[in-house]
Amino acid sequence: MKGKTLKKKNSRIGWSMVLVASVLILVFSYVPMVQAFLLSLKTGKGNNLTFAGLANYARMLKDNVFWTTIGNTLLYAVIQIPIMLFLAMLIAVLLNTPNLKLRGFYRTCIFLPCVTSPISYSILFKNIFSLDGVVNNLLLALGIIETPIAFVLDPFWGKFVIIVALIWRYTGYFMIFFLSALQNTDQSVYEAAKIDGANFRQSFFKITFPILKPIVFLTSIMAVTNTLQLFDEVVNLTNGGPGNATRTISEYIYDLSFNFVPNYGYASAVSYVVLLIIVVITIFQKKVTGDQND
């Protein structure tokens, strides 16, 4: 009897601890999501909205700007995410070396970019890739180019600058996840493999990578979500230009809501398509990585 009473008491205490957080999540996350979906079924400018069913979703099929921004965003994700995660994993493995000196200093230096203000480092990259910046001066000095390249004003090179900026900023952030997993791994496993004659490559693919597999899945989902919400870097570096050459879907949603004549219904519909893309990519990544943490 006392055991059942104690169990009920502990259950009440547990529910009381999560109740406030659950209510806040419901009110500030799920309720707005439902409201946004209902808003996506309406059309009109500003506050003059009328129910239109799936008209906003049908409009996307003919919206060239929508497809351009979706293509740009997915291009950033396809190129930037694999490079960034590979570098993050590689750096984490190197920094986990027991006899490496100044490990704390190296970790701080690599992590520092991700706490830098987007505006600050965007100004830095615009100066580095400007007509008289370090990159152009170096390329001219090496004889690779004859005239300076207007990186942020060119459709191709503008995307290149954004991808480089994203890799520079977020590699250190995702490195922390890999490093945490490696530090929780018993070093005796590596010592045993070394005694058995395993080299670095064999240890990495037979021991390290299987250990990091759940972290690869987690970080890849986080990276995809972050990239599909990419806004600050594009606005500060290229402002989506020239034209819509570097514009992302998040910037387009912002423009639909605030820069153009406000069309909140269509902006909400585009947002839900982005959510659907994230869900589809997450399921695909789960299948590819073979995550076993169900």
Side-chain angles (χ1 to χ4, degrees), residues 113-183:
C114 72
V115 297
T116 305
S117 167
I119 296 177
S120 300
Y121 89 84
S122 296
I123 294 174
L124 173 65
F125 270 82
K126 289 183 76 171
N127 287 330
I128 291 174
F129 287 95
S130 64
L131 289 174
D132 58 348
V134 174
V135 175
N136 269 314
N137 288 336
L138 180 61
L139 294 176
L140 288 169
L142 295 175
I144 297 176
I145 59 175
E146 296 181 356
T147 57
I149 301 174
F151 283 98
V152 297
L153 300 178
D154 183 85
F156 173 80
W157 291 112
K159 294 185 181 73
F160 172 80
V161 173
I162 292 172
I163 290 172
V164 172
L166 291 172
I167 293 173
W168 177 83
R169 187 183 187 198
Y170 290 106
T171 296
Y173 174 75
F174 289 107
M175 174 204 71
I176 297 299
F177 292 90
F178 292 111
L179 191 58
S180 298
L182 290 173
Q183 289 183 335

Side-chain angles (χ1 to χ4, degrees), residues 29-40:
S29 293
Y30 292 105
V31 171
M33 287 176 63
V34 174
Q35 291 176 329
F37 177 72
L38 296 177
L39 185 60
S40 72

Side-chain angles (χ1 to χ4, degrees), residues 39-225:
L39 185 60
S40 72
L41 303 178
K42 298 180 181 180
T43 186
K45 306 297 182 182
N47 293 324
N48 299 319
L49 301 176
T50 56
F51 181 79
L54 300 177
N56 286 322
Y57 295 94
R59 174 182 169 181
M60 285 182 226
L61 299 176
K62 301 178 181 179
D63 187 351
N64 292 330
V65 178
F66 168 78
W67 290 110
T68 299
T69 54
I70 282 287
N72 291 339
T73 306
L74 293 178
L75 178 66
Y76 296 142
V78 168
I79 297 176
Q80 168 244 337
I81 292 175
I83 297 174
M84 178 184 63
L85 293 184
F86 173 77
L87 290 176
M89 187 187 304
L90 179 62
I91 293 171
V93 171
L94 294 176
L95 291 182
N96 194 52
T97 305
N99 57 356
L100 179 66
K101 297 180 179 180
L102 299 176
R103 286 190 297 175
F105 173 76
Y106 294 138
R107 292 171 186 173
T108 302
C109 291
I110 295 170
F111 183 75
L112 196 59
C114 72
V115 297
T116 305
S117 167
I119 296 177
S120 300
Y121 89 84
S122 296
I123 294 174
L124 173 65
F125 270 82
K126 289 183 76 171
N127 287 330
I128 291 174
F129 287 95
S130 64
L131 289 174
D132 58 348
V134 174
V135 175
N136 269 314
N137 288 336
L138 180 61
L139 294 176
L140 288 169
L142 295 175
I144 297 176
I145 59 175
E146 296 181 356
T147 57
I149 301 174
F151 283 98
V152 297
L153 300 178
D154 183 85
F156 173 80
W157 291 112
K159 294 185 181 73
F160 172 80
V161 173
I162 292 172
I163 290 172
V164 172
L166 291 172
I167 293 173
W168 177 83
R169 187 183 187 198
Y170 290 106
T171 296
Y173 174 75
F174 289 107
M175 174 204 71
I176 297 299
F177 292 90
F178 292 111
L179 191 58
S180 298
L182 290 173
Q183 289 183 335
N184 288 325
T185 303
D186 191 351
Q187 291 298 316
S188 62
V189 177
Y190 292 97
E191 294 172 0
K194 189 175 181 180
I195 293 173
D196 290 338
N199 54 31
F200 176 81
R201 181 182 63 83
Q202 292 171 327
S203 296
F204 179 82
F205 286 105
K206 296 295 184 180
I207 301 175
T208 304
F209 187 75
I211 291 172
L212 295 179
K213 200 173 182 181
I215 307 301
V216 171
F217 175 72
L218 172 65
T219 53
S220 61
I221 295 301
M222 294 173 62
V224 167
T225 303

Side-chain angles (χ1 to χ4, degrees), residues 247-264:
R247 190 181 303 274
T248 61
I249 191 63
S250 292
E251 187 180 359
Y252 185 45
I253 294 171
Y254 177 85
D255 290 336
L256 287 170
S257 300
F258 303 107
N259 282 344
F260 304 156
V261 177
N263 194 332
Y264 302 121

